[in-house]
Amino acid sequence: AHARFTAFFEQSPFYAGIVYVDGRLVEISRRALEVCGFRRDEVIGKLFWETAWWAHSPESRDQVKNGFLAAFRGESFKAQLNYCFADGSDHITDFCLSPVFDRSGRVSFAIATGVDITERVRAENELVAARRRLDSALIAAEMGVYEWAVGSDRLFGDANFQKLFQVKTDETGSASLDAYLKVLHPDDREETMR
């Protein structure tokens, strides 16, 4: 069983560590060291929240310390945290500290795990920024965007589309195609339906 645990721990696709009851890191996965560029002797035996991963972010350091306290009260702690590599580059992790109980029900240590989500967060932020730019362009051009659900004959429009047409929408944010057609000038209806 110990050999299987060691193999899992050392070959896991995520960062993993074991934090003892005094807050010190007693074990760390190879991935957490190799990917981040730290040496074992730089992190083992140190208070986990004072290790180099959290050096660039006092806020993350505080969250890790609070997560440690929660874990030793028997609660799991999850957060999206900023951390850094040995080269000083900033990254983001989906982080978790989970308590491990002994047979008497007391917390004997905590397992820290993390998955680097830096690229995903950057892509999400870029998508939000692109959407803001598109919305600004549509507002400036007095244009809106809609989607027509043919099967239900409903139009789902963005806020600018709804503002332009001033059609009352339902709780799904849609209105019937007919409702939109009724607000068009009669000369434009026939052309729109082609």
Side-chain angles (χ1 to χ4, degrees):
H2 180 71
R4 284 194 299 270
F5 170 78
T6 302
F8 168 78
F9 191 78
E10 284 301 313
Q11 297 174 34
S12 65
F14 46 83
Y15 307 143
I18 296 174
V19 182
Y20 207 58
V21 292
D22 63 358
R24 298 191 184 280
L25 185 67
V26 294
E27 193 56 68
I28 191 70
S29 67
R30 182 176 21 205
R31 181 173 185 81
L33 296 172
E34 290 175 356
V35 171
C36 300
F38 295 111
R39 293 187 324 271
R40 192 173 169 76
D41 62 357
E42 293 176 300
V43 295
I44 293 295
K46 294 189 173 13
L47 292 173
F48 186 50
W49 53 89
E50 292 181 2
T51 57
W53 289 288
W54 321 112
H56 288 190
S57 176
E59 181 183 325
S60 290
R61 219 178 6 252
D62 291 344
Q63 286 185 284
V64 170
K65 186 174 184 178
N66 290 335
F68 164 78
L69 296 173
F72 281 90
R73 287 192 306 268
E75 306 163 14
S76 288
F77 170 82
K78 294 180 181 182
Q80 214 176 80
L81 300 176
N82 294 315
Y83 74 106
C84 65
F85 282 6
D87 66 7
S89 59
D90 292 318
H91 296 266
I92 303 166
T93 183
D94 193 4
F95 178 79
C96 182
L97 261 170
S98 301
V100 175
F101 302 93
D102 63 18
R103 290 182 183 190
S104 66
R106 288 188 305 254
V107 177
S108 57
F109 61 92
I111 296 177
T113 58
V115 175
D116 189 291
I117 57 170
T118 307
E119 291 307 314
R120 187 190 84 201
V121 170
R122 285 184 184 148
E124 288 170 355
N125 290 341
E126 288 171 11
L127 185 60
V128 167
R131 180 62 201 201
R132 283 190 192 127
R133 288 191 300 273
L134 175 61
D135 288 345
S136 294
L138 290 170
I139 289 168
E142 293 186 339
M143 295 175 67
V145 176
Y146 69 91
E147 178 182 336
W148 180 21
V150 177
S152 62
D153 204 31
R154 308 287 292 176
L155 289 181
F156 296 83
D158 67 359
N160 206 39
F161 186 76
Q162 292 175 7
K163 179 182 168 189
L164 290 168
F165 284 91
Q166 298 184 354
V167 171
K168 184 169 174 56
T169 58
D170 64 13
E171 67 278 352
T172 67
S174 73
S176 68
L177 175 61
D178 190 52
Y180 283 101
L181 291 174
K182 284 180 182 175
V183 299
L184 291 178
H185 188 278
D187 295 343
D188 294 330
R189 278 189 205 137
E190 190 177 319
E191 186 65 30
T192 302
M193 290 306 294
R194 285 187 198 178

